[in-house]
Every structure is written in structure tokens, then in C-alpha cells.
Amino acid sequence: MRVMLLGATGLVGGQALGLLLDDPRCTALVAPSRRPLPVTAPKLDNPVLDFEHLPGTAPWWAVDAVICALGSTMAQAGSRDAFKRIDHDYPLTFAGQAHAHGAGTFVLNSAAGADAGSRFFYNRVKGALEQDLRGLEFDSLTLVRPGLIGGQRAHKRTGEHLAMQVLGVLGPLLPRGWRINPADNIAAALVDAALAPRPGEHVVSAAELA
């Protein structure tokens, strides 16, 4: 299968990148990014792009499946508008283009609280993306909804770091849905859903990722 991976420079995306490069079911991997990836491989194509001005036509749009691990935080994005652009608009634009070029499968790294009607802005943006992806009518749509993501980030998120310390201690006592979700578990779920797609819509919950 030809797979497109979005967000390959992030924590979960980086894990998914390694899994896809090692998996023989993935015969070609397109990983668009805003800066060059630190790895090369014979089956890896890494278009370096301005996500505000994506090309309408390019041979690498022709893929079978898309994995989206793009994501930011309000602190990193700097504003609500910038956050929405990164976490909703960019993924939806890529999804639309890939679908128009024949992609039948889309797998999204979303969030446990994703809900287009949520009073919380973060969850509302995530839910709106899920809702808009449904409108594209992919043959297979998988929504992976992790809670707190565990792993070593390049840039520490203070609030997340504190929460992980608390949950790391309480983890064995908590319901599975409240536990830390390791980044490699999330990446594995994304890759499995892309390389062995099932028709229709599917949700992978935080409890399944613990």
C-alpha cells in the first residue's frame, strides 16, 4: 500500500514513521512536512511544503491511505485561529486532496473528548474535524482518540508533564480510559488501521490504547 503520513515530526507521528518504514505492507510512504525529516529511506518521499499553499497536483497525492498525526497546543499555536488552522484546516485540506486523488482510507489521531458541540475549544475543534472528515465519505475512516499521550517530546508541555507524573503514580488504580496512552500504542493503532482498513467508521478509545 501507498501511505501518506501527516505529522511525522511529532511524537506520535515519529513513531508511526518508524513503523511504516519497517512494515513490508507499506510499499511507498509519502510524508509531507514543513521542514525536512531527519531520516531517509528508499520508499520514503518527503515533500517539504508550505501548508498554506499546497500544490493541487503532484504525483505523491496518489495514495491508498492517509494517517494524520498533525496537532498542536494553544500555547504552541499562539492563538485560537492558528490552532484551528493546524488541527482542523490543514488535516481537512490534505484529506480532501488525497480523497480526490483516490485515497480510500483515512486514519486520524484525534482526542478522547472530541465533540463538535463541546464547550471546550480544543475538543470542539477535534470534533469538528471528525465531523467534516465524515462528509468526505472515505471507504474506511478510523478515529483514534487517545487521552494523555505518554512519551518524550522534543518540547516539554508543563501542564501535560505534571499530569503525567500524577497519572504515572495512580495509573494502576485508575480505569483504563483514564490512564496514560503510550505514543507507541497510539502509533501502532494508526498504522494497523491504515494497512488493514475495515469498511465504514471505527473508533479506537483511550481505554484500548492504555
Side-chain angles (χ1 to χ4, degrees), residues 72-84 87 121-122 125:
S72 185
T73 64
M74 285 294 294
Q76 287 176 323
S79 69
R80 285 193 167 199
D81 286 344
F83 176 82
K84 181 177 178 293
D87 281 59
F121 180 73
Y122 178 89
V125 170

mmCIF file of all heavy atoms in Angstrom, residues 72-84 87 121-122 125:
data_model
loop_
_atom_site.group_PDB
_atom_site.id
_atom_site.type_symbol
_atom_site.label_atom_id
_atom_site.label_comp_id
_atom_site.label_asym_id
_atom_site.label_seq_id
_atom_site.Cartn_x
_atom_site.Cartn_y
_atom_site.Cartn_z
ATOM 1 N N SER A 72 -1.323 20.394 17.518
ATOM 2 C CA SER A 72 -0.587 21.428 18.235
ATOM 3 C C SER A 72 -1.243 21.638 19.598
ATOM 4 O O SER A 72 -2.097 20.853 20.019
ATOM 5 C CB SER A 72 -0.595 22.732 17.422
ATOM 6 O OG SER A 72 0.200 23.714 18.032
ATOM 7 N N THR A 73 -0.842 22.677 20.295
ATOM 8 C CA THR A 73 -1.487 23.116 21.527
ATOM 9 C C THR A 73 -1.765 24.605 21.376
ATOM 10 O O THR A 73 -1.194 25.281 20.505
ATOM 11 C CB THR A 73 -0.593 22.898 22.752
ATOM 12 O OG1 THR A 73 0.580 23.729 22.626
ATOM 13 C CG2 THR A 73 -0.169 21.434 22.869
ATOM 14 N N MET A 74 -2.611 25.130 22.222
ATOM 15 C CA MET A 74 -2.878 26.559 22.178
ATOM 16 C C MET A 74 -1.605 27.356 22.423
ATOM 17 O O MET A 74 -1.359 28.384 21.785
ATOM 18 C CB MET A 74 -3.935 26.914 23.218
ATOM 19 C CG MET A 74 -5.351 26.504 22.833
ATOM 20 S SD MET A 74 -5.968 27.409 21.389
ATOM 21 C CE MET A 74 -6.036 29.062 22.080
ATOM 22 N N ALA A 75 -0.764 26.880 23.343
ATOM 23 C CA ALA A 75 0.477 27.589 23.655
ATOM 24 C C ALA A 75 1.413 27.602 22.458
ATOM 25 O O ALA A 75 2.032 28.624 22.145
ATOM 26 C CB ALA A 75 1.161 26.952 24.857
ATOM 27 N N GLN A 76 1.531 26.459 21.777
ATOM 28 C CA GLN A 76 2.411 26.386 20.617
ATOM 29 C C GLN A 76 1.858 27.188 19.446
ATOM 30 O O GLN A 76 2.600 27.888 18.751
ATOM 31 C CB GLN A 76 2.597 24.930 20.192
ATOM 32 C CG GLN A 76 3.476 24.110 21.126
ATOM 33 C CD GLN A 76 3.544 22.662 20.715
ATOM 34 O OE1 GLN A 76 2.556 22.081 20.251
ATOM 35 N NE2 GLN A 76 4.708 22.054 20.859
ATOM 36 N N ALA A 77 0.548 27.081 19.219
ATOM 37 C CA ALA A 77 -0.060 27.768 18.074
ATOM 38 C C ALA A 77 -0.085 29.278 18.270
ATOM 39 O O ALA A 77 0.093 30.041 17.324
ATOM 40 C CB ALA A 77 -1.475 27.239 17.843
ATOM 41 N N GLY A 78 -0.331 29.721 19.498
ATOM 42 C CA GLY A 78 -0.305 31.145 19.788
ATOM 43 C C GLY A 78 -1.648 31.836 19.770
ATOM 44 O O GLY A 78 -1.785 32.932 20.307
ATOM 45 N N SER A 79 -2.646 31.225 19.151
ATOM 46 C CA SER A 79 -3.985 31.813 19.107
ATOM 47 C C SER A 79 -4.988 30.739 18.734
ATOM 48 O O SER A 79 -4.629 29.670 18.227
ATOM 49 C CB SER A 79 -4.058 32.951 18.085
ATOM 50 O OG SER A 79 -3.961 32.437 16.768
ATOM 51 N N ARG A 80 -6.264 31.023 18.969
ATOM 52 C CA ARG A 80 -7.310 30.070 18.593
ATOM 53 C C ARG A 80 -7.358 29.867 17.085
ATOM 54 O O ARG A 80 -7.540 28.749 16.607
ATOM 55 C CB ARG A 80 -8.670 30.549 19.104
ATOM 56 C CG ARG A 80 -8.871 30.374 20.601
ATOM 57 C CD ARG A 80 -10.324 30.567 20.990
ATOM 58 N NE ARG A 80 -10.580 30.117 22.354
ATOM 59 C CZ ARG A 80 -11.781 29.833 22.829
ATOM 60 N NH1 ARG A 80 -12.847 29.962 22.038
ATOM 61 N NH2 ARG A 80 -11.932 29.426 24.071
ATOM 62 N N ASP A 81 -7.199 30.945 16.338
ATOM 63 C CA ASP A 81 -7.245 30.835 14.880
ATOM 64 C C ASP A 81 -6.106 29.963 14.363
ATOM 65 O O ASP A 81 -6.300 29.125 13.473
ATOM 66 C CB ASP A 81 -7.158 32.218 14.238
ATOM 67 C CG ASP A 81 -8.456 33.011 14.369
ATOM 68 O OD1 ASP A 81 -9.495 32.385 14.686
ATOM 69 O OD2 ASP A 81 -8.427 34.232 14.166
ATOM 70 N N ALA A 82 -4.908 30.157 14.910
ATOM 71 C CA ALA A 82 -3.759 29.366 14.470
ATOM 72 C C ALA A 82 -3.932 27.904 14.854
ATOM 73 O O ALA A 82 -3.597 26.998 14.082
ATOM 74 C CB ALA A 82 -2.474 29.926 15.069
ATOM 75 N N PHE A 83 -4.462 27.658 16.059
ATOM 76 C CA PHE A 83 -4.694 26.283 16.491
ATOM 77 C C PHE A 83 -5.684 25.587 15.566
ATOM 78 O O PHE A 83 -5.467 24.443 15.138
ATOM 79 C CB PHE A 83 -5.219 26.265 17.927
ATOM 80 C CG PHE A 83 -5.568 24.890 18.418
ATOM 81 C CD1 PHE A 83 -4.589 24.040 18.906
ATOM 82 C CD2 PHE A 83 -6.881 24.441 18.383
ATOM 83 C CE1 PHE A 83 -4.906 22.764 19.350
ATOM 84 C CE2 PHE A 83 -7.213 23.168 18.830
ATOM 85 C CZ PHE A 83 -6.222 22.332 19.312
ATOM 86 N N LYS A 84 -6.778 26.262 15.254
ATOM 87 C CA LYS A 84 -7.781 25.668 14.362
ATOM 88 C C LYS A 84 -7.191 25.394 12.988
ATOM 89 O O LYS A 84 -7.508 24.383 12.345
ATOM 90 C CB LYS A 84 -8.996 26.584 14.248
ATOM 91 C CG LYS A 84 -10.099 26.040 13.351
ATOM 92 C CD LYS A 84 -11.303 26.965 13.334
ATOM 93 C CE LYS A 84 -12.390 26.441 12.401
ATOM 94 N NZ LYS A 84 -11.970 26.481 10.986
ATOM 95 N N ASP A 87 -4.922 22.178 13.500
ATOM 96 C CA ASP A 87 -5.581 20.954 13.943
ATOM 97 C C ASP A 87 -6.857 20.620 13.180
ATOM 98 O O ASP A 87 -7.359 19.501 13.313
ATOM 99 C CB ASP A 87 -5.888 21.045 15.440
ATOM 100 C CG ASP A 87 -4.677 20.760 16.297
ATOM 101 O OD1 ASP A 87 -3.667 21.466 16.182
ATOM 102 O OD2 ASP A 87 -4.733 19.800 17.079
ATOM 103 N N PHE A 121 -12.948 24.518 23.660
ATOM 104 C CA PHE A 121 -12.495 24.830 22.304
ATOM 105 C C PHE A 121 -11.677 23.685 21.702
ATOM 106 O O PHE A 121 -11.891 23.291 20.543
ATOM 107 C CB PHE A 121 -11.665 26.121 22.325
ATOM 108 C CG PHE A 121 -11.149 26.530 20.981
ATOM 109 C CD1 PHE A 121 -12.004 27.049 20.020
ATOM 110 C CD2 PHE A 121 -9.795 26.398 20.665
ATOM 111 C CE1 PHE A 121 -11.532 27.421 18.770
ATOM 112 C CE2 PHE A 121 -9.323 26.771 19.423
ATOM 113 C CZ PHE A 121 -10.188 27.279 18.478
ATOM 114 N N TYR A 122 -10.724 23.139 22.456
ATOM 115 C CA TYR A 122 -9.867 22.063 21.950
ATOM 116 C C TYR A 122 -10.714 20.880 21.480
ATOM 117 O O TYR A 122 -10.559 20.390 20.350
ATOM 118 C CB TYR A 122 -8.908 21.624 23.052
ATOM 119 C CG TYR A 122 -7.992 20.480 22.672
ATOM 120 C CD1 TYR A 122 -6.753 20.720 22.086
ATOM 121 C CD2 TYR A 122 -8.363 19.159 22.923
ATOM 122 C CE1 TYR A 122 -5.912 19.672 21.741
ATOM 123 C CE2 TYR A 122 -7.527 18.105 22.584
ATOM 124 C CZ TYR A 122 -6.300 18.373 21.997
ATOM 125 O OH TYR A 122 -5.472 17.324 21.650
ATOM 126 N N VAL A 125 -12.795 21.693 18.294
ATOM 127 C CA VAL A 125 -12.037 21.668 17.041
ATOM 128 C C VAL A 125 -11.802 20.229 16.589
ATOM 129 O O VAL A 125 -11.969 19.893 15.409
ATOM 130 C CB VAL A 125 -10.699 22.412 17.206
ATOM 131 C CG1 VAL A 125 -9.792 22.187 15.993
ATOM 132 C CG2 VAL A 125 -10.941 23.909 17.394
#
